[in-house]
Amino acid sequence: MSQSIQPESSSSGHSIRVSVVVPVFRPGASFDDLIASLDRQTLDPAAFEVLLCDDGSGEPTGERLAAIARTRPNVRVLSLEHSGWPGMPRNHGVDAARGTYVQFVDQDDYLFDGALEKLCDYADANASDVVVGKEVGIGRPLPSKIFRRDIPRATLGTDPLLEMLTPHKMFRTAFLRANGIRFPEGRVRLEDHLFVMQAYFAASTISILASVPCYAWVKQPGSASSARIEPETYFPHLETVLDIVEAHTEPGRLRDRLLRHWFRGKILKRIAGRRMVKYPDDYRDRLLDVVVPLTQRRFGPGVDAGLSFAHRIRAALLRADRRDDLARLAAFESGLQCRATVTAAHWSRGGGLHLTVRVDITQDGKDALVFETFAADPSAPAAQDAAGPATGAKSSGAKKSIRLTSLPLSSLDGLPANLLAVDRELRNDRIELILRDGTRTNTNTRTDTGTDTGTGTDTGTERILSGRRPRDLSAVAVSIDPVRSFERTDDSRGGPLSVKVRRAGWTFDVPLEADPAVLARIGRSPILAGRACTLTAGEGGTVELHREWPGGGLKDAAGRTVRSIRRTLRRH
C-alpha cells in the first residue's frame, strides 16, 4: 500500500515538490540542453531540486557538474563508484531525494518548460503514485495511443500504459520507498520495464497527462536501443519481467493481454520481414535457439488472440519450431511491394476533388496477396462481409472463411486450424490519403501492425485528407474537400501526397503516383474549393498538392459560406 510523508523543505524554507534524478556518465554537448531546460522550468527553483548522479565519470565530468551546481542552489551532485548502467545511480537519487515526487530524466533528453509544475499539479489533484507525462520523440517515433487524452485514473490492461515503459515518469517518493521499488543494479537489460511494472502493480493511482508535452526523448547515434541484442543474455532479463507479470495476475485474459505486449514487441518483431532476412545465418540460429523454447514455455495460444495476422502465423511457427517456414515468411514479407496510382480525377462543382486510385500489392511482378473462400471450421464464427475476392467456395451452405493462399509455407500440418483465415483483417482494410506539409523521404515503408520493416523521414506535418474502406483495390474512390481539410487561417502551401494502405493486417505507406497526362485533365479548382489547389506530378511521377497562400481568401470565404448554408438546409 502507498504511504505518504510530509514533503521536506529546502534551506530557504520552501517545500520541495519534486526531485529530478539524472543518472550521469561522461555526458556530451546535449547535456547542456537538459540543464538549460531545467533552468527554464516555470516551477520556482526553490520548489524543486536536481540530483546529478555521477556514475564514476572521472575528473573532467566531475568538474563540469561542480560548475553547474556552483551557480544553482537547487542542484546537488552525487559522486558514485562506476557501475556501468543507470540503475544504481537512479537508486541513489531516490535515496537522497527530498521532494514529494521523483522525476527521472536521462542525460541526453530534456524537459519542456512547464513540465515539472504541470506534473506536480496533476499528481496532487489526483493523489497519483505514478504520472506518465506526455513524451515527445526527437528523431525517433513514439507510440501515440497512450497520449490521446488525459486519464486521471488509468487501468493496467485496459488503458495503453504498456505503450510507454520508459522510466521518464514522475513517482511519489514515499510510494517508491514504502514498496521497495528499485532499479536492478549492474548491466541488466529491460531494467526500466522491471522498475515500471513493479510500480504499476503496486500503485493505487496511475495517471496519464497527455494534454501538454512534458518530456523530450532524444534519439542519439549509437544508443543502446539501436544495437543488436545478444539473445543468450537479453531474453533471461525478459523472463524476469514476465515473472513479475505472472506473480501479479491469474491465468486468463488479463495476463494474456499483458504478456502479448512483450511477445509482440520483443520476440515477434525481431523475426519479421526485412529485419529477419538481414540477420546472418549464425545469428538467426542463435536467436531462434533462445526464442523457440521461450515461446513454448511462456506464451500460450491465448496470447495470440490480439495479434495481427502475420504475427499469429509467426507465433504458431515458433511453437512448432518451423524455422525454415519462418525464414520463408520473412522473405515473403520483405519482397512485398505496394504501389498507389491515380487512374482518374475530377473536380465537382461543389468544390470536392475526386480521385480514383489503383492499389497493387505485388511480389516479383505478380499479385502477392491471393485469397480464396473455404468452408470454415464449424466452431469458428462466420465471415462477416469481408472485403476482397471470394472465389473457390468448397460448399454452398456452410459457414465461409476467407484465407490467404499465397504464403510460401511448406505445409499446414501440425498448425492451428484456420490459421490462414484473414476475415477479421480484411474487415479492417483501409485506404488513407495523406498530405505531408514539408518534405518526406518515403521508401515503401511497410508495417505489420506495429512492425516497421521500411524507412521514412518526416520533416513536416502529416494530415489525413481522406479515408475509406476499399472493396476493390483496382478502383478505390477517395475524395478531398480542401475547405474542410484546411482551417481558415491554415497557411499550408501543400506538399507531397502519400497513401497508407492497410491490407490483410499489413500496412504500406507509399507515395501517390500519377501519369502527368491524368493530372493535366483535372483543370482548375472551382471557386467553392476555396483557395486554388492543383495536383502536379513531381519527380518520378509522385503527386504533389499545391495550395494558394496567402491569396484566395475571398474564394475560401465563399466556399465556407456555401457549406454552412448546405448544413443548415440539411438540418431543416
Side-chain angles (χ1 to χ4, degrees):
M1 296 294 293
S2 303
Q3 297 181 6
S4 61
I5 60 173
Q6 293 298 317
E8 296 195 28
S9 299
S10 66
S11 58
S12 63
H14 288 79
S15 173
I16 299 179
R17 298 185 70 186
V18 58
S19 300
V20 180
V21 173
V22 185
V24 178
F25 182 73
R26 299 178 183 175
S30 60
F31 189 62
D32 293 336
D33 296 332
L34 167 60
I35 300 302
S37 77
L38 295 170
D39 290 342
R40 292 194 304 268
Q41 290 301 302
T42 58
L43 196 63
D44 189 314
F48 74 97
E49 65 175 353
V50 179
L51 303 177
L52 302 178
C53 306
D54 182 15
D55 190 43
S57 299
E59 186 173 342
T61 297
E63 293 175 352
R64 183 180 180 186
L65 300 184
I68 292 171
R70 194 175 300 122
T71 57
R72 297 168 177 85
N74 66 336
V75 174
R76 288 192 284 156
V77 178
L78 305 184
S79 298
L80 309 170
E81 293 185 4
H82 182 58
S83 70
W85 217 249
M88 187 269 282
R90 288 175 182 147
N91 288 338
H92 278 278
V94 174
D95 292 340
R98 296 179 298 176
T100 303
Y101 304 103
V102 168
Q103 170 69 47
F104 294 107
V105 181
D106 287 340
Q107 66 180 24
D108 292 325
D109 302 331
Y110 60 87
L111 295 176
F112 288 89
D113 294 1
L116 292 180
E117 185 173 14
K118 294 289 187 182
L119 287 164
C120 288
D121 289 348
Y122 197 65
D124 289 347
N126 296 292
S128 310
D129 292 321
V130 184
V131 180
V132 186
K134 182 175 183 177
E135 294 196 39
V136 177
I138 309 299
R140 66 167 80 232
L142 294 185
S144 59
K145 193 174 181 181
I146 185 174
F147 297 127
R148 287 180 180 172
R149 60 185 179 89
D150 289 349
I151 306 178
R153 294 183 173 273
T155 302
L156 187 60
T158 300
D159 297 306
L161 287 166
L162 296 185
E163 276 199 349
M164 195 60 66
L165 291 175
T166 60
H168 314 143
K169 299 172 175 60
M170 181 172 281
F171 300 86
R172 188 178 297 275
T173 310
F175 159 75
L176 294 179
R177 292 170 176 167
N179 290 281
I181 299 171
R182 299 178 70 80
F183 288 92
E185 299 190 359
R187 296 182 67 84
V188 178
R189 299 302 299 267
L190 299 173
E191 83 284 351
D192 45 356
H193 291 216
L194 289 166
F195 182 90
V196 172
M197 288 308 297
Q198 290 181 75
Y200 278 174
F201 280 117
S204 297
T205 303
I206 307 169
S207 303
I208 298 174
L209 177 59
S211 55
V212 293
C214 297
Y215 192 100
W217 188 12
V218 183
K219 176 70 172 179
Q220 298 292 337
S223 63
S225 60
S226 63
R228 182 179 292 171
I229 64 166
E230 292 298 317
E232 298 84 358
T233 57
Y234 180 88
F235 287 102
H237 295 306
L238 173 61
E239 290 208 70
T240 305
V241 179
L242 304 182
D243 289 340
I244 292 175
V245 174
E246 293 186 356
H248 290 87
T249 59
E250 297 294 331
R253 290 185 178 181
L254 175 59
R255 177 183 289 183
D256 287 343
R257 192 179 303 127
L258 299 179
L259 293 178
R260 188 179 302 134
H261 170 79
W262 287 276
F263 190 31
R264 179 194 293 118
K266 302 304 179 184
I267 295 179
L268 297 178
K269 286 178 66 173
R270 286 191 160 93
I271 59 172
R274 293 178 184 172
R275 194 171 186 178
M276 176 78 154
V277 169
K278 289 181 178 179
Y279 291 147
D281 291 344
D282 61 335
Y283 181 82
R284 186 183 306 118
D285 290 340
R286 288 172 52 207
L287 178 63
L288 293 175
D289 283 345
V290 175
V291 300
V292 166
L294 174 58
T295 298
Q296 294 168 338
R297 285 196 313 272
R298 305 301 295 253
F299 302 103
V303 177
D304 296 3
L307 296 174
S308 68
F309 176 63
H311 276 339
R312 293 199 302 272
I313 298 172
R314 272 187 278 277
L317 295 176
L318 275 175
R319 291 193 190 94
D321 199 4
R322 298 268 286 268
R323 302 188 182 200
D324 290 342
D325 279 336
L326 282 169
R328 292 188 186 99
L329 176 60
F332 171 82
E333 290 180 301
S334 66
L336 293 176
Q337 295 292 321
C338 181
R339 187 176 183 185
T341 308
V342 177
T343 57
H346 71 276
W347 287 101
S348 67
R349 288 184 299 175
L353 177 58
H354 303 275
L355 307 178
T356 302
V357 177
R358 178 184 179 88
V359 176
D360 295 290
I361 302 173
T362 61
Q363 188 173 67
D364 297 328
K366 300 178 181 178
D367 286 342
L369 304 180
V370 179
F371 305 93
E372 292 186 11
T373 302
F374 291 83
D377 184 324
S379 63
Q384 299 289 323
D385 189 28
T391 59
K394 304 302 181 183
S395 62
S396 58
K399 294 179 180 179
K400 302 295 192 301
S401 179
I402 298 176
R403 301 181 187 178
L404 180 63
T405 59
S406 54
L407 292 182
L409 304 182
S410 59
S411 76
L412 297 179
D413 295 341
L415 299 178
N418 288 339
L419 177 64
L420 301 185
V422 73
D423 307 85
R424 183 180 72 187
E425 279 72 19
L426 291 175
R427 288 196 293 273
N428 291 325
D429 281 357
R430 189 166 178 81
I431 304 292
E432 291 179 334
L433 183 62
I434 296 170
L435 169 70
R436 289 185 167 94
D437 299 285
T439 304
R440 168 78 174 177
T441 302
N442 204 328
T443 55
N444 202 26
T445 303
R446 173 166 50 264
T447 65
D448 168 28
T449 314
T451 301
D452 189 353
T453 57
T455 59
T457 303
D458 279 306
T459 59
T461 302
E462 176 180 295
R463 69 178 82 207
I464 298 174
L465 300 181
S466 180
R468 65 173 301 141
R469 292 182 177 180
R471 298 198 61 82
D472 180 5
L473 290 184
S474 66
V476 182
V478 295
S479 300
I480 305 172
D481 185 343
V483 171
R484 291 199 175 104
S485 298
F486 300 97
E487 297 292 336
R488 191 183 306 273
T489 59
D490 197 326
D491 63 354
S492 171
R493 291 163 173 80
L497 294 176
S498 64
V499 177
K500 185 173 290 186
V501 179
R502 188 165 64 222
R503 180 64 164 167
W506 283 280
T507 302
F508 306 85
D509 190 349
V510 297
L512 182 63
E513 301 179 34
D515 185 322
V518 173
L519 302 184
R521 291 194 291 268
I522 299 177
R524 297 171 59 86
S525 59
I527 291 178
L528 294 185
R531 302 179 192 274
C533 292
T534 58
L535 292 186
T536 62
E539 184 178 353
T542 58
V543 179
E544 297 179 0
L545 174 67
H546 295 284
R547 177 173 178 262
E548 181 182 10
W549 182 270
L554 291 177
K555 288 185 289 185
D556 190 65
R560 295 181 188 280
T561 299
V562 170
R563 282 163 178 75
S564 177
I565 293 172
R566 287 175 182 165
R567 287 193 297 269
T568 301
L569 292 176
R570 280 196 293 267
R571 285 197 295 266
H572 294 83

